[in-house]
Amino acid sequence: MRILATAAGTYLYSLFLGWGLTRLVFRHRTIPHQLWLAPWFGLMLVEIPALWMSRYGVGTEHILYAMTILAVVLIGASRLAGISLFAQLDKFDAWLAAGALVTLSFALYPMFVISNAPTTISLGNLDPAIYSMTADFLKSHGIAQRPDVNLEHPATVYINSWLQSVRPGTFLILALFDSLFRAPTYQLFSVILAVFLALTTPLIAVFARFITGRRVPATIALVLSAVNFNYIYCYYHGFAGQIFAQGCVIATFIFLLIAEHEDKARLLDSIVIGYAIAAMVVLYPEGALFFAVPFGLFIILQAAFGARSLSD
């Protein structure tokens, strides 16, 4: 039960973080599937303020409260703007939920069989250990407060080295959920990754539906991604940055596809896209290229040859 409760709590809190933001940026556009989009926008929302607070020495035990207040403010702003807090559901959402549950089951099955308690799953890669040590440190320290290297305590070597890396956002996201559940990272690491891996499955189907305008290609994409070996491989090796980044890339492309169908471009859309790119750089810079390069190519083609839309 603890495994399922942790997974449910991870999803619901990420949904809460992104709910107000998605209502504001999508406004009165007819957008179903917010149950799958909001967690990713919540993830990107907290990246930048969490990074700057951490740079000033604030641990995620306190950042958690600031991010919760930010989410509440955005939900309140949506209501003040006259925007309904509840997006319409689509019949296809039931199939998306089924696909997400299949992926979640594949990811969590070994945990139920081996330990029946929240713990870390790894095929031998050291990433989970490094993420766990560093995220635990960031619960009560800032990124700039690197520990002195003490060879009698090898963890200080890893933490000192990785806090100088170019992926601070991944550590902060893990530490934020650690602070939420009041538990060490090693207990939560694989559950958090399993939830976001499962949330990638419906996101791919939603993207396919917006690209093609039909459910059949979206259903095919859903089936192929529900048990995708490459995604499961990333999960079992603890590639947290990659799992977080791929969902953020797809969610931003979906937003871009929706925004480009507006009759009039909005400054807010450009701000959201720019903020999303910045969040991806903080989270996993290599992943940001998978959005920036195709988007940049589209802009060049549009300027040179008059490409009509991103989906073209």
Side-chain angles (χ1 to χ4, degrees):
M1 287 299 295
R2 286 180 58 200
I3 298 173
L4 295 178
T6 303
T10 299
Y11 169 69
L12 291 174
Y13 186 69
S14 59
L15 185 71
F16 162 74
L17 287 176
W19 195 263
L21 176 62
T22 51
R23 298 312 299 150
L24 282 171
V25 298
F26 290 125
R27 297 184 68 82
H28 301 292
R29 297 161 172 165
T30 304
I31 304 302
H33 317 313
Q34 188 174 351
L35 292 174
W36 320 111
L37 290 168
W40 295 103
F41 280 92
L43 200 70
M44 292 186 281
L45 171 67
V46 302
E47 284 292 336
I48 306 299
L51 174 64
W52 281 103
M53 290 182 71
S54 183
R55 286 187 181 277
Y56 283 101
V58 182
T60 57
E61 291 175 343
H62 301 291
I63 293 175
L64 174 70
Y65 297 107
M67 297 303 100
T68 302
I69 293 172
L70 177 60
V72 171
V73 168
L74 290 175
I75 291 173
S78 299
R79 291 298 301 133
L80 291 175
I83 302 170
S84 173
L85 290 181
F86 301 99
Q88 73 177 67
L89 292 177
D90 188 280
K91 293 181 180 179
F92 195 55
D93 281 313
W95 290 100
L96 296 177
L101 288 174
V102 168
T103 304
L104 186 67
S105 299
F106 267 89
L108 293 181
Y109 173 76
M111 197 179 301
F112 281 106
V113 173
I114 296 172
S115 65
N116 200 27
T119 189
T120 294
I121 299 172
S122 175
L123 291 179
N125 190 42
L126 293 179
D127 279 25
I130 296 170
Y131 280 124
S132 296
M133 288 185 289
T134 309
D136 281 338
F137 179 81
L138 289 176
K139 287 191 287 186
S140 56
H141 299 80
I143 286 177
Q145 299 171 319
R146 297 195 301 272
D148 294 329
V149 173
N150 185 344
L151 297 181
E152 294 183 356
H153 298 86
T156 62
V157 179
Y158 282 110
I159 295 171
N160 191 290
S161 173
W162 277 90
L163 287 181
Q164 301 178 58
S165 75
V166 292
R167 303 177 189 175
T170 301
F171 298 118
L172 288 170
I173 289 296
L174 293 170
L176 192 69
F177 281 106
D178 294 348
S179 299
L180 174 67
F181 292 109
R182 308 293 181 186
T185 309
Y186 82 87
Q187 291 185 359
L188 305 175
F189 180 80
S190 291
V191 179
I192 294 170
L193 261 60
V195 170
F196 282 98
L197 180 72
L199 287 173
T200 306
T201 297
L203 209 60
I204 294 170
V206 171
F207 178 74
R209 186 176 182 185
F210 276 113
I211 282 285
T212 64
R214 296 183 296 165
R215 284 191 181 182
V216 173
T219 303
I220 295 173
L222 181 69
V223 172
L224 292 177
S225 58
V227 290
N228 186 286
F229 175 80
N230 289 328
Y231 293 158
I232 297 296
Y233 175 87
C234 286
Y235 170 76
Y236 284 131
H237 279 281
F239 295 155
Q242 290 89 327
I243 290 175
F244 290 149
Q246 66 188 6
C248 292
V249 168
I250 301 169
T252 307
F253 268 122
I254 291 172
F255 174 78
L256 187 59
L257 286 169
I258 295 168
E260 73 167 2
H261 286 93
E262 292 286 299
D263 294 332
K264 183 179 180 181
R266 295 194 305 165
L267 176 61
L268 178 61
D269 294 339
S270 299
I271 294 173
V272 170
I273 292 170
Y275 188 95
I277 293 173
M280 284 185 263
V281 170
V282 170
L283 187 67
Y284 185 68
E286 301 94 317
L289 293 174
F290 286 93
F291 176 84
V293 172
F295 183 48
L297 180 61
F298 164 67
I299 293 174
I300 293 172
L301 291 175
Q302 190 177 48
F305 305 105
R308 292 174 298 172
S309 68
L310 187 67
S311 55
D312 291 340

